[in-house]
């Protein structure tokens, strides 16, 4: 038997879809800003784009060919303008979302339980090999959604630290100085990219009903599927 079940409140859906384009603009414009310190263009080298030890580089994130391919080089002014344009609505949207979670009690849906944390590896493994779960979110999703909120807060704080180092020297110093704050901001961007990629893959694996529920707020549920989910949960 099929029935319609409510999945996501209107506020969650609105803030989710508002946040997506803003985050993409932030990443796109941020790459333009980071080009100025690309080791390949010979301007500055803070070794932000690589993983290595000393002079040995194991992996470089954004070499010069990457910027030429996507035409992100030589657009510092444009990058800073778009970054500043998207920053404020992105931050406001995040604050409103946190307030909504606190007031509505929705924080209980995404906050990881002690069991989720204790079974961290198993939780993520089960999320990779199967997409079915009991309840709105499984343990892996709760951990991921809570973590990305923390990453977002760190991104905002580190962003202000490198944007206003003279106006907020205490904030920059708290993060270990300008270069450390810049490195933290860069890695929050990498984590956002990883989250978006995994999130997109999981949505594709879960199928159209998951996407539909985030658009309409409702999902068509089969009683047979619910019985199977309950069995897996046990």
């Amino acid at each position: 038997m099929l029935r319609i079940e409510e999945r996501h409140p209107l506020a969650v859906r609105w803030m989710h879809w508002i946040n997506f384009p803003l985050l993409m603009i932030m990443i796109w414009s941020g790459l333009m800003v980071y080009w100025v310190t690309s080791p390949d263009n010979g301007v500055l080298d803070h070794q932000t784009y690589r993983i290595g030890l000393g002079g040995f580089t194991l992996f470089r994130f954004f070499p010069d060919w990457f910027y030429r391919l996507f035409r992100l080089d030589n657009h510092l002014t444009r990058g800073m303008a778009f970054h500043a344009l998207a920053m404020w609505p992105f931050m406001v949207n995040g604050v409103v979302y946190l307030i909504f979670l606190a007031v509505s009690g929705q924080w209980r849906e995404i906050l990881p339980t002690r069991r989720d944390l204790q079974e961290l590896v198993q939780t993520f493994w089960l999320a990779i090999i199967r997409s079915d779960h009991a309840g709105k979110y499984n343990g892996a999703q709760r951990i991921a959604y809570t973590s990305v909120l923390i990453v977002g807060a760190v991104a905002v704080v580190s962003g202000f630290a490198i944007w206003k180092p003279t106006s907020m020297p205490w904030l920059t110093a708290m993060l270990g100085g300008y270069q450390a704050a810049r490195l933290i901001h860069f890695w929050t961007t990498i984590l956002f990219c990883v989250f978006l990629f995994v999130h997109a893959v999981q949505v594709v694996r879960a199928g159209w009903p998951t996407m539909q529920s985030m658009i309409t707020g409702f999902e068509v549920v089969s009683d047979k599927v619910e019985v199977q989910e309950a069995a897996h949960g046990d």
Side-chain angles (χ1 to χ4, degrees):
M1 181 177 179
L2 300 178
R3 60 187 176 82
I4 297 178
E5 183 175 291
E6 185 176 3
R7 286 293 187 185
H8 305 288
L10 179 62
V12 170
R13 286 180 281 130
W14 267 97
M15 284 180 277
H16 174 275
W17 292 114
I18 289 173
N19 208 48
F20 177 73
L22 291 175
L23 184 56
M24 296 305 294
I25 292 174
M26 294 288 286
I27 294 173
W28 166 70
S29 60
L31 286 172
M32 292 183 184
V33 176
Y34 269 100
W35 174 83
V36 178
T37 55
S38 170
D40 297 293
N41 65 29
V43 181
L44 294 172
D45 183 5
H46 299 312
Q47 299 183 340
T48 305
Y49 299 101
R50 73 185 188 98
I51 295 177
L53 181 62
F56 173 74
T57 299
L58 177 65
F59 175 77
R60 193 178 297 282
F61 282 95
F62 303 110
D64 195 45
W65 63 262
F66 175 88
Y67 282 92
R68 290 197 303 268
L69 178 65
F70 294 101
R71 299 182 179 182
L72 297 172
D73 53 334
N74 296 297
H75 293 294
L76 173 62
T77 304
R78 179 184 296 181
M80 293 184 67
F82 274 100
H83 214 63
L85 176 67
M87 174 188 68
W88 294 109
F90 176 77
M91 187 169 59
V92 170
N93 191 56
V95 171
V96 172
Y97 181 62
L98 290 175
I99 294 174
F100 171 77
L101 289 179
V103 173
S104 67
Q106 288 284 317
W107 61 270
R108 298 183 182 88
E109 298 282 351
I110 68 169
L111 192 68
T113 63
R114 181 178 299 179
R115 182 177 179 181
D116 292 334
L117 298 175
Q118 290 173 343
E119 301 175 357
L120 183 61
V121 176
Q122 181 183 4
T123 296
F124 276 99
W125 174 246
L126 291 176
I128 292 172
I129 64 175
R130 76 168 196 243
S131 59
D132 57 305
H133 55 84
K136 184 183 293 187
Y137 304 117
N138 60 31
Q141 289 173 316
R142 286 193 291 269
I143 293 172
Y145 295 157
T146 300
S147 298
V148 81
L149 289 176
I150 297 174
V151 170
V154 174
V156 170
V157 172
S158 59
F160 272 103
I162 60 179
W163 183 39
K164 300 288 186 179
T166 55
S167 302
M168 300 180 177
W170 56 271
L171 182 60
T172 307
M174 185 177 69
L175 296 180
Y178 182 83
Q179 301 304 340
R182 187 175 177 278
L183 188 61
I184 291 171
H185 197 66
F186 173 80
W187 278 105
T188 59
T189 303
I190 298 299
L191 291 175
F192 271 131
C193 291
V194 172
F195 172 80
L196 287 173
F197 175 77
V198 175
H199 187 55
V201 170
Q202 290 296 89
V203 169
V204 172
R205 288 181 65 247
W208 169 247
T210 298
M211 176 68 77
Q212 182 186 46
S213 67
M214 185 52 74
I215 296 174
T216 65
F218 298 91
E219 183 177 347
V220 178
V221 179
S222 171
D223 291 336
K224 180 180 179 180
V225 172
E226 285 198 337
V227 171
Q228 292 175 348
E229 288 181 347
H232 283 305
D234 295 337

